[in-house]
Amino acid sequence: LDGLRAVAILGVLVFHILPGALPGGFTGVDVFFVLSGYLIASVILHDLRARRFSMREFYLRRIQRLLPNAVVMVFATVGLATVVFLPSFVAQVAEHGLWTLANLSNFFIVHHFGGYWQDVATASPLLHTWSLAVEEQFYLLLPVTLWLLARPALLRRPRAQSHATLAVLCGLAAASYFLALYGTFANPVPTFYLLPARAWEPLLGAALAVWRVPVAAGLPLRDSAPASS
């Protein structure tokens, strides 16, 4: 699945460099979100089943995995911007970098740049970090959701517990999808960038993970090993 995520990213890169060569390459963003939702939910579900899930450890792992790379990327981008751009624009890039490290880049873009295809947006060297922000915001909420759904209320009925978890995730995905459909016409910029209208994609992946790795320990696994984080 990590390989599939790499293919999805390559599709996006080819689309930006040679749009005519791969017109559908931008759908790699959507594929990446679905796969990310599946992978992270699988990790959480395996830990929940084994009764070893720790919210603190989960968030620490995410910080250790992503923050060092993000810091290097932001500092390198700001450093290069000081050479290439005017000082007024460098200040904006630096501010955007701070929002990126706070996993709020998508909010910064909505308020400062507008649509993804507008010239002012495409000139931003950190524009691509909107998708990282969406992913990290989803990672912030998913563990709490799965942990709450795995509480003892249904532990004596494991099949009902897993069905309830799957139903909740599918319901949230459907609500997000219809919000995306409505927002595409009513308010397309925040619809494109923000989590509420994007959540249906990683939620689909998470729902598939629940189907394969039921949250209740009393049900058999449909896969043999946990996904990597």
Side-chain angles (χ1 to χ4, degrees):
L1 289 179
D2 280 337
L4 288 176
R5 290 205 294 179
V7 171
I9 293 172
L10 287 174
V12 177
L13 289 174
V14 172
F15 172 80
H16 280 81
I17 297 171
L18 298 169
L22 194 61
F26 201 75
T27 57
V29 175
D30 308 286
V31 173
F32 188 90
F33 281 152
V34 174
L35 293 173
S36 294
Y38 175 84
L39 284 169
I40 205 65
S42 296
V43 172
I44 297 169
L45 290 168
H46 277 282
D47 285 348
L48 286 171
R49 286 175 62 92
R51 301 292 184 263
R52 63 170 182 262
F53 178 73
S54 165
M55 207 77 70
R56 176 179 176 275
E57 291 298 322
F58 174 83
Y59 290 126
L60 282 177
R61 287 202 304 267
R62 301 312 307 165
I63 292 171
Q64 291 170 357
R65 182 179 176 87
L66 293 172
L67 187 59
N69 295 329
V71 169
V72 171
M73 182 270 294
V74 167
F75 272 84
T77 302
V78 173
L80 184 60
T82 61
V83 178
V84 177
F85 298 123
L86 295 174
S88 58
F89 192 70
V90 173
Q92 186 182 64
V93 173
E95 183 183 2
H96 192 178
L98 293 176
W99 284 68
T100 298
L101 295 179
N103 294 321
L104 295 171
S105 174
N106 50 346
F107 286 93
F108 183 89
I109 293 169
V110 167
H111 290 293
H112 290 82
F113 301 139
Y116 187 87
W117 309 108
Q118 295 181 11
D119 290 341
V120 65
T122 56
S124 172
L126 292 173
L127 181 65
H128 65 286
T129 58
W130 74 269
S131 59
L132 178 63
V134 170
E135 189 175 11
E136 291 307 300
Q137 290 158 18
F138 179 77
Y139 289 172
L140 185 67
L141 298 175
L142 181 66
V144 178
T145 302
L146 292 179
W147 180 79
L148 289 174
L149 292 171
R151 289 296 78 205
L154 293 174
L155 285 179
R156 294 181 180 179
R157 300 178 60 196
R159 192 169 299 277
Q161 184 184 35
S162 289
H163 287 172
T165 301
L166 188 59
V168 169
L169 293 181
C170 289
L172 291 173
S176 174
Y177 179 73
F178 285 112
L179 178 62
L181 289 180
Y182 172 77
T184 297
F185 300 98
N187 207 350
V189 172
T191 298
F192 181 90
Y193 287 116
L194 301 184
L195 179 63
R198 284 284 184 177
W200 66 272
E201 295 164 317
L203 280 170
L204 284 180
L208 178 59
V210 171
W211 179 78
R212 291 182 62 85
V213 189
V215 67
L219 296 178
L221 296 173
R222 293 188 177 91
D223 59 355
S224 58
S228 65
S229 59

